[in-house]
Amino acid sequence: MASGGSDVDALNQALTSAHIFEGKQRQQLLQQPDLNHKGVDAEEENGAGLEITCFSDVFNDVPLHFQILRLPKQIYVWIGCSSAKLGNLYAAAPTRPKDTVSVTSILGGTSDNTGTGIARRLVLKTGLNVILASNIPKNSPMLEAEAEKLLVQKLIHLGYTRQKAEQSSS
Amino acid sequence: MGSSAPRFPVTCKNFSLDIKGNKTDVVLCSYDDHFLVIATQIGAMGTILHARKEEGVSIEPTFNVSSIFGKRDEPMLLACARQLIEHISTSGSSKSLVLSLGLKDHSVETLRGIVSAVIDNCLW
């Protein structure tokens, strides 16, 4: 009986958080029309597929584009700077035992670390495996920092970040 | 912001289907130089493969398919990527493909199901 109760609790929790995702998704819908709208509609018909959030911003006359795909155990993020090239692909994951993070470049990266820092900090904030694709050019730390800031703001807004006791909201 | 917001530069398609009893979520994205295809049954991206067409002198194009993250010893996954890059090439696009497969089984039927679902909904 006791174990049954905890199962029901877990189920309730999952359903509640799924509901929150759906609500936020609809908010995104109002802001991002077009094809992404169609994609999300189809997903609702099929009974909750995957959520993709797409948004754009401008920093110092440079357009920045973002895509966030939330999988149950992973997050895929694309950051586009001016162009819509895929860019370099990085994989990052939390590594036991000490709650550290491992990052590696899996496509296109040289020895620069334009995306590795962002990927690492995303894992720290979300606690999930992260696949990051980014075409931010080398040697633009301001752009990198701004892109990361916008991304994290959106992740917090969508509820994908871990709840931290002291920090988070601002 | 202007009166008409510019369209997001990346086209995405997002759907879900059932393959051999497993719910499979598929995401297709079209970037400037790549197509991204994610097919997952396990809630994660799984193995990531990269497939590209080699520019050569001969009439027949050649393709390079490799696993860049995850399993490296699953020939069926490579075959799946190979089929898709060939379809991309015959459709006239020379973009490369990043294919992510997080599957519960690597049987022929599953991969065939994925290839046909992706081709039916392709962005190229």
Side-chain angles (χ1 to χ4, degrees):
Chain A
M1 274 301 192
S3 63
S6 65
D7 280 348
V8 170
D9 282 347
L11 189 57
N12 276 336
Q13 229 173 4
L15 286 172
T16 316
S17 55
H19 191 69
I20 292 173
F21 283 154
E22 208 178 335
K24 287 193 173 134
Q25 204 175 292
R26 290 223 178 85
Q27 260 181 338
Q28 292 308 115
L29 260 184
L30 296 173
Q31 292 156 19
Q32 269 93 42
D34 300 340
L35 282 146
N36 299 320
H37 178 94
K38 279 194 205 144
V40 171
D41 273 346
E43 147 196 332
E44 284 172 1
E45 281 161 22
N46 285 329
L50 298 172
E51 309 151 19
I52 304 184
T53 306
C54 301
F55 63 102
S56 301
D57 211 313
V58 178
F59 176 68
N60 284 355
D61 292 332
V62 177
L64 288 168
H65 308 289
F66 300 87
Q67 260 185 331
I68 303 174
L69 172 65
R70 173 69 152 101
L71 297 153
K73 300 180 197 168
Q74 204 166 26
I75 287 190
Y76 165 77
V77 175
W78 173 70
I79 305 178
C81 172
S82 303
S83 78
K85 292 196 157 121
L86 185 65
N88 301 329
L89 212 57
Y90 303 92
T95 311
R96 286 178 295 191
K98 280 240 181 205
D99 217 18
T100 49
V101 179
S102 302
V103 193
T104 180
S105 155
I106 55 178
L107 187 63
T110 49
S111 57
D112 71 49
N113 47 14
T114 312
T116 50
I118 301 181
R120 176 173 274 119
R121 286 184 288 276
L122 286 180
V123 172
L124 287 169
K125 291 218 152 66
T126 61
L128 296 168
N129 295 346
V130 166
I131 303 282
L132 169 73
S134 152
N135 67 7
I136 297 177
K138 291 195 282 191
N139 304 322
S140 10
M142 293 300 299
L143 206 51
E144 221 183 301
E146 180 66 20
E148 186 177 341
K149 190 182 89 172
L150 293 167
L151 190 57
V152 171
Q153 265 172 15
K154 181 61 83 172
L155 286 171
I156 292 174
H157 173 77
L158 291 167
Y160 296 161
T161 47
R162 275 199 284 210
Q163 300 301 323
K164 282 250 165 88
E166 335 78 55
Q167 298 162 331
S168 75
S169 63
S170 69
Chain B
M1 296 197 198
S3 50
S4 60
R7 254 190 48 192
F8 194 73
V10 176
T11 316
C12 285
K13 220 182 221 191
N14 187 354
F15 57 95
S16 200
L17 73 155
D18 188 288
I19 297 180
K20 281 178 78 177
N22 295 316
K23 175 172 185 264
T24 312
D25 295 308
V26 180
V27 176
L28 301 162
C29 293
S30 170
Y31 299 93
D32 278 354
D33 55 348
H34 279 85
F35 289 110
L36 171 69
V37 176
I38 301 175
T40 172
Q41 299 173 333
I42 59 173
M45 284 173 74
T47 301
I48 306 181
L49 305 122
H50 183 237
R52 64 172 200 274
K53 182 163 81 167
E54 315 256 89
E55 300 304 323
V57 265
S58 61
I59 305 165
E60 304 279 328
T62 50
F63 304 101
N64 184 316
V65 182
S66 60
S67 162
I68 58 174
F69 189 72
K71 295 190 199 295
R72 290 177 196 279
D73 52 358
E74 285 283 347
M76 293 309 297
L77 302 182
L78 294 168
C80 183
R82 176 69 173 72
Q83 280 207 302
L84 288 175
I85 188 70
E86 182 158 7
H87 192 265
I88 293 174
S89 173
T90 51
S91 308
S93 173
S94 53
K95 289 189 193 178
S96 303
L97 167 72
V98 173
L99 171 66
S100 158
L101 294 172
L103 305 174
K104 290 189 176 156
D105 70 271
H106 296 149
S107 65
V108 176
E109 296 83 22
T110 303
L111 287 155
R112 225 174 247 158
I114 294 205
V115 170
S116 61
V118 171
I119 287 179
D120 286 344
N121 292 279
C122 69
L123 297 173
W124 53 83

